[in-house]
Amino acid sequence: MNLVRATATIGGLTLISRIAGFVRDVLQAAFVGAGASADAFLIAFRLPNLFRALFAEGAFASAFVPMFNRQVGADGGDTAGAKRFAEDVLSVLLPFLALFTLVMVIATAPVVWALTGGFPDAAPGKFALTVDFTRLTFPYLLLISLVSLLGGLLNSIGRFWVNAAAPILLNLALIAGMLLFHGPDPAETARVQAVCVTVGGILQFGWLLWACWRADIRLKLRRPQLTDKVKTLLTLILPAALGAGAVQFNLLISTALAARFLPEGAVSYLYYADRLNQLPLGLIGIGVGTAMLPALSRQLGAGQDAAAVHTQNRAVELVLLLTLPAAAALTVSAEPIIRSLLQYGAFRAEDTLPTARALAAFSLGLPAYVLIKVLTPGFHARQDTRLPVRIAIASMLVNLVGNLLLVWPLGHVGIALSTAVAAWVNAGALYWVLHRRGHFVIDARLAQRLPRLVVATLVMLPVLVGFGLLLAPWLGGALVARAGALVLLLTTGGIAYLGAARLLGLFTLAELKAQFTRKGTSA
């Protein structure tokens, strides 16, 4: 497996999805804004996303894929036994999730109240609106869980692109809903969005089901049975899901505090800022982590420990090469980015600065968010899912304490800042444990390049600040002027960084060419 090429495939499709997601966010800011209706929808969407991270993507990406690949390896490449294992998993997962979804839809009101405290200082009707929207969005959990199972199967046979393309359908459904059914009342537009969440889940499930049939993966529904392998998977799923959902838990805590104690709009400020911060995480961290896990599982299964360490070193090097400048750009250029992308219609000028401050705070933790995605497979490939969840729980406690300490003096910015600090605690602890066990040792190449990465990033900062001031009049102008000025700002900063990186010897053109050809190394 060529890690860079696999990451580029996943990252390229994720880029399309994130671009569609930004279009969705821009439309949502214009039609719904950052008030009561936006807060209600975003909380309603946060709940199924949290459980998706717990039951679906986190669990299957980190527990199911290694077990499936080990079964294929044990059978000498024959997939029959692995498919039977997948069918047994489906037979247990489907009824459980169907029952859980039903219970959550029935018990929506007390769940939303526990999360928000009933919005004590909000406009009348906001709590009822949030309950209504949550009932419309929650079936998405069942659908996306099935999508994750099918996507895990396709990832295991190297067809990463199919699963990576699925989120595009959700964004297209939400975009179509806003363009076709928006109205003068933000609450009605937000209600359409809630319906479109479930519609997007249906589209994603249909896409993955079709792709599996094309790949001759046709799972049969069987009578639920807790086989030994399913029991093993379940023992791995809970800690793996909680570990992978640590960021979602932190965001849920942030949302709850913002809903309970901060003025109206704070939930929306945090959401829009987090969406921008998540762009490089989705492009880089998820892409590298998804591509790494099957490779690490096979290398460790074959006793190739040195190759596994090499793979992890190159993954860390790759993500830092990309995320350090991204974090710096989002931090120092947060205000012009928010102003140029979101300041339209219902999203007013007075919403820009608080959203930008939240983005700058979130972005300080961006390298840590991505490193978590890269370091965690080092545990999961060895079927150790318990220790990462203990570390994740510790980081959640750090986040909670930080929120309680910072929310009063810094408001919603304190919430974003404590989330970033908790991410660094999580990433640092994962590295320390892997290093202490001898599972990850920084090699000479990575040790040599880390300081150069920092220097190249520092070279970029004054360029971004200077061009941000120079382009300020255009960044708040008409649509074409905004787009052109923002592209020029980010391109100039990127050129400064890449130029410094090249001069410092961080990469050569020959290395890049080799990584993107089939004859390249498997770094």
Side-chain angles (χ1 to χ4, degrees), residues 259-331:
R260 283 175 177 264
F261 303 119
L262 296 179
E264 193 166 88
V267 172
S268 298
Y269 301 150
L270 290 169
Y271 168 80
Y272 290 122
D274 179 58
R275 285 287 294 169
L276 282 163
N277 183 57
Q278 289 285 321
L279 175 61
L281 173 60
L283 296 180
I284 305 164
I286 295 174
V288 176
T290 302
M292 273 183 63
L293 186 55
L296 280 180
S297 299
R298 294 189 187 103
Q299 287 169 342
L300 293 172
Q304 300 171 349
D305 292 353
V309 171
H310 175 77
T311 296
Q312 288 177 291
N313 269 277
R314 300 293 71 77
V316 171
E317 181 182 327
L318 175 62
V319 299
L320 289 180
L321 176 71
L322 299 173
T323 56
L324 285 178
L330 289 173
T331 300

Side-chain angles (χ1 to χ4, degrees), residues 34-60:
S37 298
D39 285 356
F41 169 72
L42 295 173
I43 290 171
F45 196 23
R46 175 73 70 199
L47 283 170
N49 270 328
L50 167 68
F51 289 108
R52 179 206 68 198
L54 298 182
F55 293 144
E57 293 179 353
F60 284 108

Side-chain angles (χ1 to χ4, degrees), residues 36 39-48 50-51 103-120 122 125-138 252-253 255-261 267:
D39 285 356
F41 169 72
L42 295 173
I43 290 171
F45 196 23
R46 175 73 70 199
L47 283 170
L50 167 68
F51 289 108
V103 170
M104 289 297 295
V105 169
I106 294 172
T108 299
V111 171
V112 172
W113 188 92
L115 179 62
T116 65
F119 299 105
K126 185 174 179 179
F127 175 73
L129 204 62
T130 306
V131 172
D132 184 23
F133 291 172
T134 303
R135 288 191 174 123
L136 294 172
T137 61
F138 218 88
L252 185 68
I253 293 169
T255 301
L257 289 173
R260 283 175 177 264
F261 303 119
V267 172

Side-chain angles (χ1 to χ4, degrees), residues 90-114:
L90 177 62
S91 70
V92 173
L93 184 72
L94 181 58
F96 168 75
L97 285 173
L99 179 61
F100 180 81
T101 301
L102 179 62
V103 170
M104 289 297 295
V105 169
I106 294 172
T108 299
V111 171
V112 172
W113 188 92

Side-chain angles (χ1 to χ4, degrees), residues 297-439:
S297 299
R298 294 189 187 103
Q299 287 169 342
L300 293 172
Q304 300 171 349
D305 292 353
V309 171
H310 175 77
T311 296
Q312 288 177 291
N313 269 277
R314 300 293 71 77
V316 171
E317 181 182 327
L318 175 62
V319 299
L320 289 180
L321 176 71
L322 299 173
T323 56
L324 285 178
L330 289 173
T331 300
V332 303
S333 301
E335 193 272 337
I337 290 173
I338 295 294
R339 180 152 41 95
S340 61
L341 289 176
L342 299 181
Q343 193 176 298
Y344 299 96
F347 193 94
R348 302 159 298 177
E350 52 265 36
D351 297 323
T352 295
L353 188 57
T355 305
R357 288 172 175 168
L359 174 59
F362 273 132
S363 300
L364 294 175
L366 177 58
Y369 305 141
V370 178
L371 285 172
I372 291 169
K373 295 291 184 182
V374 173
L375 294 173
T376 302
F379 293 89
H380 294 160
R382 297 174 173 88
Q383 294 193 328
D384 178 3
T385 58
R386 295 186 179 277
L387 193 56
V389 77
R390 293 173 186 168
I391 293 172
I393 291 172
S395 74
M396 284 187 284
L397 293 176
V398 170
N399 182 56
L400 178 59
V401 172
N403 280 333
L404 294 175
L405 291 176
L406 298 177
V407 69
W408 309 117
L410 300 178
H412 70 287
V413 178
I415 290 176
L417 186 60
S418 65
T419 302
V421 171
W424 278 110
V425 170
N426 195 337
L430 289 172
Y431 165 75
W432 182 77
V433 173
L434 284 173
H435 179 74
R436 186 174 183 181
R437 291 177 172 179
H439 294 161

Side-chain angles (χ1 to χ4, degrees), residues 45-91:
F45 196 23
R46 175 73 70 199
L47 283 170
N49 270 328
L50 167 68
F51 289 108
R52 179 206 68 198
L54 298 182
F55 293 144
E57 293 179 353
F60 284 108
S62 56
F64 175 79
V65 172
M67 287 191 67
F68 186 93
N69 275 279
R70 286 177 184 272
Q71 183 65 50
V72 173
D75 294 340
D78 185 7
T79 61
K83 285 183 181 179
R84 176 56 191 260
F85 166 59
E87 290 172 349
D88 291 338
V89 172
L90 177 62
S91 70

Side-chain angles (χ1 to χ4, degrees), residues 121-267:
D121 299 324
K126 185 174 179 179
F127 175 73
L129 204 62
T130 306
V131 172
D132 184 23
F133 291 172
T134 303
R135 288 191 174 123
L136 294 172
T137 61
F138 218 88
Y140 178 71
L141 167 64
L142 173 61
L143 294 162
I144 201 62
S145 297
L146 297 176
V147 166
S148 296
L149 172 59
L150 299 179
L153 290 170
L154 292 167
N155 285 349
S156 295
I157 61 173
R159 302 194 181 189
F160 299 107
W161 73 273
V162 179
N163 196 33
I168 298 172
L169 298 173
L170 172 64
N171 287 320
L172 292 178
L174 292 165
I175 290 170
M178 271 186 292
L179 290 176
L180 298 175
F181 302 106
H182 71 271
D185 183 3
E188 290 307 309
T189 304
R191 190 184 308 277
V192 170
Q193 288 296 90
V195 173
C196 287
V197 169
T198 296
V199 172
I202 294 171
L203 294 175
Q204 288 176 285
F205 175 64
W207 164 249
L208 267 295
L209 189 63
W210 174 81
C212 284
W213 275 70
R214 288 284 305 267
D216 198 29
I217 300 176
R218 302 176 185 182
L219 302 184
K220 297 178 181 178
L221 287 175
R222 301 178 180 273
R223 181 173 59 87
Q225 187 176 7
L226 287 174
T227 65
D228 290 340
K229 291 177 183 176
V230 172
K231 289 178 182 178
T232 300
L233 179 68
L234 292 177
T235 61
L236 297 173
I237 279 180
L238 180 59
L242 291 175
V247 172
Q248 289 291 334
F249 265 124
N250 286 336
L251 292 173
L252 185 68
I253 293 169
S254 303
T255 301
L257 289 173
R260 283 175 177 264
F261 303 119
L262 296 179
E264 193 166 88
V267 172

